[in-house]
């Protein structure tokens, strides 16, 4: 009997995923628990394993399309086995069982009370698709279908509408976008947005529209931290931990949040919600793909060794796409170490609904004045961007000064 591959529940509050990549195609053989496809949620790419061994008989959800928990993704069975053409879904408990690698068998086909219609050369167009197209004034001939045999789906129409209703000007090699007024000429290259890039864009725009961003900058002398790291790096390595400067910055942030709890908060219409737990997000670059922010939860309970181990673990798994959706949720403050690429200071965007974000620039040896004498010290600029609804300039500076003090007096 054929086995249906359903969208599993990947974490609390995760009700929908986006199919990003099929690792197997129709006709390919696959073993039970072997990765079948990748999905994305909250910028986390997760592999979905096959619930059974066999042959991929049918792929339902196309790349780039959303799918809710419990919806049908694909069908696996014996070569040549007949399968139904429905796109039904199982109950949520089946989706939960699939996430544990258990099999979920074929349910009764979903009954459809409306039959598809035809529109000229477009093939079958369902009443739902036709209705949405009519409501938005969409010419279906302009849409490339992603459904079975090129059929236009509801998601195809909605994506077309959300994209700003792109139309093709019949003049050669010219594409006009009504929403952005961008004109592409011959030789230009259009790189389509990935799910991650779209998510980043939406979150950044939303953040700038949500809270008034204010920037304050200080610099810190990293001499004592550098000395401590040099003295302890080998010992940490014996415990399998790479002692990076990021661990020191995270620990200094903890000290700052403990001293000024108002920074560890979120704005609401009823008041400022001060969070009991200190959960620090760590912006991690994924190269051209974008960035992701895994969260170190309970950071105030960690020693420097434990902090460094958590930093290593989350950064490595983020770059290898091994994070779970829950590991990018629940942050109360964020660190972004933009200095890795050589940047001295920046104006980071707040990771909503948090109160602030700290940017760390590149550490450089600079000439500074100490006791009326010029000295060479390893210095870093620290850029603190905060929500001006919650903090004023003075309180923001007190918090940043506490981080500076912690780093400069490390022992």
């Amino acid at each position: 009997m054929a086995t249906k591959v359903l969208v599993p529940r990947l974490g609390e509050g995760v009700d929908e995923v986006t199919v990003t990549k099929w690792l197997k195609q129709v006709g390919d053989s696959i073993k039970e628990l072997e990765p079948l496809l990748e999905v994305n949620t909250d910028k986390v790419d997760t592999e979905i394993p096959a619930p059974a061994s066999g042959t991929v008989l049918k792929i339902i959800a196309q790349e780039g399309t959303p799918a809710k928990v419990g919806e049908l993704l694909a069908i696996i069975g014996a070569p040549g086995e007949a399968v139904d053409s429905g796109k039904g879904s199982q109950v949520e408990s089946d989706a939960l069982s699939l996430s544990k690698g258990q099999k979920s068998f074929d349910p009764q086909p979903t009954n459809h009370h409306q039959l598809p219609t035809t529109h000229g050369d477009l093939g079958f167009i369902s009443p739902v698709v036709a209705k949405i197209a009519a409501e938005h004034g969409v010419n279906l001939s302009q849409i490339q279908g992603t459904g079975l045999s090129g059929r236009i789906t509801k998601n195809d129409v909605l994506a077309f509408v959300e994209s700003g209703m792109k139309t093709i000007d019949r003049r050669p090699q010219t594409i006009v976008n009504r929403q952005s007024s961008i004109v592409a000429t011959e030789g230009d290259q259009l790189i389509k947005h990935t799910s991650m890039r779209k998510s980043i864009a939406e979150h950044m725009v939303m953040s700038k529209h949500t809270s008034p961003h204010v920037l304050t900058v200080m610099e810190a002398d990293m001499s004592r931290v550098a000395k401590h790291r040099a003295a302890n790096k080998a010992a940490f390595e014996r415990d399998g931990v790479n002692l990076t400067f990021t661990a020191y910055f995270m620990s200094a942030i903890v000290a700052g949040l403990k001293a000024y709890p108002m920074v560890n908060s979120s704005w609401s219409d009823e008041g400022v919600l001060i969070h009991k737990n200190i959960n620090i997000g760590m912006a991690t670059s994924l190269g051209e793909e974008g960035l992701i922010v895994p969260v170190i939860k309970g950071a105030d309970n960690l020693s420097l060794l434990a902090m460094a181990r958590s930093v290593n673990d989350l950064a490595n798994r983020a770059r290898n796409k091994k994070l779970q959706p829950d590991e990018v949720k629940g942050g109360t403050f964020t660190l972004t170490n933009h200095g890795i690429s050589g940047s001295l200071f920046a104006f980071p965007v707040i990771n909503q609904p948090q109160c602030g974000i700290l940017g760390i620039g590149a550490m450089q040896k600079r000439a500074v004045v100490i006791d009326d004498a010029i000295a060479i010290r390893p210095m870093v600029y620290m850029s603190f961007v905060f929500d001006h609804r919650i903090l004023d300039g003075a309180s923001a500076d007190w918090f940043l000064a506490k981080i500076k003090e912690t780093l400069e007096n490390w022992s």
Side-chain angles (χ1 to χ4, degrees):
M1 181 181 291
T3 301
K4 290 196 170 185
V5 183
L6 309 176
V7 179
R9 181 168 293 283
L10 298 174
E12 184 179 354
V14 179
D15 299 318
E16 185 178 84
V17 303
T18 298
V19 177
T20 53
K21 183 179 181 181
W22 282 97
L23 305 177
K24 296 287 185 178
Q25 299 300 322
V26 173
D28 290 348
S29 298
I30 192 167
K31 296 181 180 179
E32 184 176 3
L33 301 184
E34 184 181 355
L36 175 61
L37 74 154
E38 291 181 356
V39 298
N40 180 277
T41 176
D42 289 323
K43 298 193 294 183
V44 176
D45 288 324
T46 303
E47 290 181 345
I48 303 298
S53 297
T55 298
V56 179
L57 301 177
K58 188 174 184 181
I59 289 177
I60 305 297
Q62 301 302 310
E63 292 181 359
T65 60
K68 294 186 180 299
V69 169
E71 281 191 3
L72 183 62
L73 295 171
I75 299 176
I76 296 173
E81 184 176 355
V83 296
D84 67 74
S85 59
K87 289 186 66 176
S89 64
Q90 289 273 37
V91 295
E92 188 170 300
S93 59
D94 288 329
L96 288 168
S97 69
L98 180 58
S99 66
K100 299 177 182 177
Q102 299 175 3
K103 296 182 181 180
S104 175
F105 294 100
D106 200 359
Q108 293 297 318
T110 300
N111 291 322
H112 295 282
H113 301 290
Q114 292 180 304
L115 296 176
T117 59
T118 58
H119 284 241
D121 296 330
L122 299 178
F124 288 105
I125 300 295
S126 73
V128 173
V129 169
K131 180 181 178 182
I132 295 174
E135 288 175 349
H136 293 277
V138 174
N139 183 348
L140 291 175
S141 66
Q142 296 174 333
I143 300 178
Q144 179 65 49
T146 62
L148 185 65
S149 300
R151 177 179 170 184
I152 298 173
T153 68
K154 169 186 173 182
N155 289 330
D156 293 332
V157 180
L158 293 176
F160 183 84
V161 172
E162 292 173 1
S163 69
M165 296 183 67
K166 293 180 182 178
T167 62
I168 299 178
D169 189 323
R170 296 307 174 184
R171 292 170 295 179
Q173 305 299 328
T174 302
I175 299 176
V176 181
N177 184 314
R178 292 178 181 171
Q179 184 181 47
S180 62
S181 299
I182 293 176
V183 178
T185 58
E186 185 175 2
D188 291 350
Q189 179 186 11
L190 176 66
I191 301 176
K192 291 188 176 181
H193 300 307
T194 63
S195 297
M196 176 174 287
R197 181 53 60 191
K198 287 181 179 179
S199 179
I200 292 172
E202 291 170 0
H203 193 65
M204 295 298 98
V205 172
M206 179 272 290
S207 180
K208 295 292 282 189
H209 282 299
T210 299
S211 58
H213 286 51
V214 179
L215 169 69
T216 183
V217 179
M218 295 185 184
E219 59 179 342
D221 181 347
M222 296 291 289
S223 297
R224 296 188 70 128
V225 168
K227 182 178 179 180
H228 184 276
R229 179 174 179 266
N232 291 275
K233 199 170 188 300
F236 276 57
E237 287 177 353
R238 286 194 291 272
D239 286 325
V241 176
N242 179 22
L243 180 57
T244 63
F245 284 105
T246 299
Y248 290 93
F249 293 125
M250 297 288 273
S251 297
I253 289 172
V254 168
L257 294 177
K258 283 184 173 180
Y260 300 98
M262 187 65 76
V263 184
N264 195 52
S265 69
S266 299
W267 175 269
S268 74
D269 291 338
E270 293 76 26
V272 176
L273 178 63
I274 300 177
H275 303 293
K276 177 182 178 182
N277 297 323
I278 295 179
N279 304 329
I280 306 178
M282 179 181 65
T284 304
S285 173
L286 301 179
E288 293 184 356
E289 293 183 58
L291 61 86
I292 197 166
V293 187
V295 177
I296 296 180
K297 297 180 179 177
D300 50 324
N301 298 317
L302 301 181
S303 64
L304 183 63
L305 175 62
M307 183 71 79
R309 180 177 285 116
S310 295
V311 167
N312 292 175
D313 173 58
L314 288 174
N316 289 335
R317 288 196 291 116
R319 295 185 183 108
N320 290 303
K321 299 182 179 180
K322 299 297 183 182
L323 290 175
Q324 297 300 311
D326 287 345
E327 292 178 311
V328 297
K329 294 179 178 290
T332 60
F333 191 86
T334 297
L335 168 73
T336 176
N337 193 353
H338 55 85
I340 291 176
S341 57
S343 169
L344 293 179
F345 58 84
F347 196 132
V349 178
I350 296 171
N351 189 8
Q352 297 294 334
Q354 298 167 19
C355 171
I357 182 171
L358 181 69
I360 302 295
M363 187 167 65
Q364 292 183 330
K365 288 186 176 181
R366 292 197 287 270
V368 296
V369 177
I370 300 177
D371 297 329
D372 293 331
I374 296 177
I376 304 299
R377 294 288 187 270
M379 307 294 292
V380 294
Y381 289 111
M382 303 182 299
S383 306
F384 176 41
V385 177
F386 59 94
D387 186 338
H388 207 352
R389 297 174 301 175
I390 300 175
L391 300 179
D392 297 319
S395 53
D397 287 344
W398 295 337
F399 166 73
L400 190 55
K402 181 62 178 180
I403 295 177
K404 170 183 170 73
E405 176 190 345
T406 303
L407 293 171
E408 293 185 340
N409 293 283
W410 198 279
S411 60

